[in-house]
Amino acid sequence: MEARPEVSANSRLTVAAHALTWIGLYQRRGHEVATSEQIATSVNTNPVVIRRLLADLRKAGLADSRRGAGAGWMLSRDLAAITLLDVHDAIAAGPIFALHRSTPDPECVVGHGIGPAMAAVYDQIESTLRGELARTTLEDILRDVLKAT
Amino acid sequence: MEARPEVSANSRLTVAAHALTWIGLYQRRGHEVATSEQIATSVNTNPVVIRRLLADLRKAGLADSRRGAGAGWMLSRDLAAITLLDVHDAIAAGPIFALHRSTPDPECVVGHGIGPAMAAVYDQIESTLRGELARTTLEDILRDVLKAT
DNA sequence: GGTGTCGTAACGTTTACGGTTACGACAAGC
DNA sequence: GCTTGTCGTAACCGTAAACGTTACGACACC
């Protein structure tokens, strides 16, 4: 009966990591800023999609942009100081699992108690997930990327 | 360019655990089978949704059904022998994170190497997730449910 | 044979994201 | 100051998945 987010980041984390890593490498090669056009070409998508995504990352303090001519994007921190958890939180990814869409029968023992019981499991999993994401920085990702060449 | 599952089980795991736990408790109280109608009432959804879900669980060998008059659903194994991982696999939940929807520019260093780099992280996370889900059985869930009363 | 339930197809609704177009805002350079 | 290039955002469409509902055939007990 009620509405529900049902998000699921899915490919957004991949694209966000891709964009930031691209900017980082581009800057290390001596460029000031990267345009959404350039990033979109590497990601193989539309520049607007990149701008929307980077706007979220800017809100989280991971990236920043300059306007006007010679405009573009730059990192706010070094790649080594950005973990995948930072990126994950920046793109406001929803929880992996959700409870019922419409609340189950509260008169039923199972219907009444299953929500909290499952939530406890989900919270534990979510916490573990965050720990895993925090272990990897974009510097690690870039190292893997360059190693694969 | 290509199509993609983009599944994300979301509430399906919750509902599946709910249904199985309900059947288990109902059987312990002396009943032979549970109808999709009864389960749907507890879950607060449509019986067809329950039947579709239980059909997946039957394929995985977790539940079984009887037809004809006095028909309904029963467990194939005891609640203690069913983990959340079993349920998760039974409902064919997709991966948490996905790679790019359309393949990135292979001419670009980042575009070429980012996929495998992220996949390695995702595989590790997926593996940890499975370990977490395997730790909890439906018997554990039922215990929590009854404790909450 | 009647009855109750499963089995399943078909269809509509909802939600979210990605893709695209469009246009205003802005700042550097001439 | 005007031009130019890029960001900032709104608006809209298409797609994909799950849920909800209706409908009807299949089946087995009584």
Side-chain angles (χ1 to χ4, degrees):
Chain A
M1 199 51 79
E2 86 260 38
R4 222 158 222 300
E6 301 283 339
V7 183
S8 108
N10 260 332
S11 71
R12 295 192 72 200
L13 181 60
T14 303
V15 175
H18 186 153
L20 290 174
T21 305
W22 199 95
I23 298 172
L25 182 58
Y26 196 62
Q27 290 193 310
R28 284 193 194 178
R29 287 179 172 171
H31 301 88
E32 285 270 327
V33 298
T35 68
S36 60
E37 172 78 36
Q38 296 172 313
I39 302 168
T41 298
S42 173
V43 175
N44 190 16
T45 185
N46 193 290
V48 176
V49 175
I50 299 298
R51 275 182 245 157
R52 279 197 288 232
L53 194 56
L54 286 178
D56 284 342
L57 299 173
R58 179 179 48 208
K59 277 185 211 133
L62 302 182
D64 206 355
S65 63
R66 252 182 5 208
R67 309 186 64 169
W73 295 85
M74 67 208 82
L75 296 181
S76 295
R77 303 188 216 157
D78 191 79
L79 288 177
I82 302 177
T83 69
L84 287 182
L85 178 60
D86 294 328
V87 181
H88 179 260
D89 285 346
I91 61 182
I96 305 173
F97 302 112
L99 295 182
H100 307 69
R101 316 193 132 211
S102 39
T103 60
D105 182 10
E107 300 299 312
C108 166
V109 188
V110 179
H112 178 262
I114 192 82
M118 295 302 290
V121 176
Y122 294 159
D123 283 351
Q124 169 63 37
I125 288 175
E126 209 78 43
S127 169
T128 306
L129 169 73
R130 296 178 64 81
E132 290 283 334
L133 288 175
R135 277 225 248 116
T136 306
T137 68
L138 291 182
E139 182 72 40
D140 298 329
I141 297 293
L142 178 59
R143 193 179 315 116
D144 275 18
V145 166
L146 295 177
K147 206 185 306 175
T149 312
Chain B
M1 198 53 78
E2 86 261 38
R4 223 158 221 298
E6 301 282 339
V7 182
S8 108
N10 260 333
S11 71
R12 294 192 72 200
L13 181 60
T14 302
V15 175
H18 186 153
L20 291 175
T21 304
W22 199 94
I23 299 172
L25 182 58
Y26 196 61
Q27 290 193 308
R28 284 193 194 176
R29 287 179 174 172
H31 301 88
E32 285 270 327
V33 297
T35 69
S36 60
E37 172 78 35
Q38 296 172 314
I39 302 168
T41 298
S42 174
V43 175
N44 190 15
T45 185
N46 193 291
V48 176
V49 174
I50 299 298
R51 276 182 243 155
R52 279 197 288 233
L53 193 57
L54 286 177
D56 284 342
L57 299 173
R58 180 178 48 207
K59 277 184 212 134
L62 302 182
D64 207 355
S65 61
R66 251 180 9 206
R67 310 185 65 169
W73 296 84
M74 68 207 82
L75 296 182
S76 295
R77 302 187 216 157
D78 190 80
L79 287 177
I82 302 178
T83 69
L84 287 182
L85 178 59
D86 294 328
V87 182
H88 179 260
D89 285 345
I91 61 181
I96 306 173
F97 301 112
L99 296 182
H100 307 69
R101 318 193 130 208
S102 39
T103 58
D105 182 8
E107 300 299 312
C108 166
V109 188
V110 179
H112 179 262
I114 192 83
M118 295 303 289
V121 176
Y122 294 160
D123 283 351
Q124 169 64 37
I125 289 175
E126 209 77 43
S127 169
T128 305
L129 169 72
R130 297 178 64 81
E132 291 284 334
L133 287 175
R135 278 224 248 116
T136 306
T137 69
L138 292 182
E139 182 73 40
D140 297 330
I141 297 294
L142 178 58
R143 192 178 317 118
D144 274 19
V145 166
L146 295 178
K147 205 185 305 175
T149 312

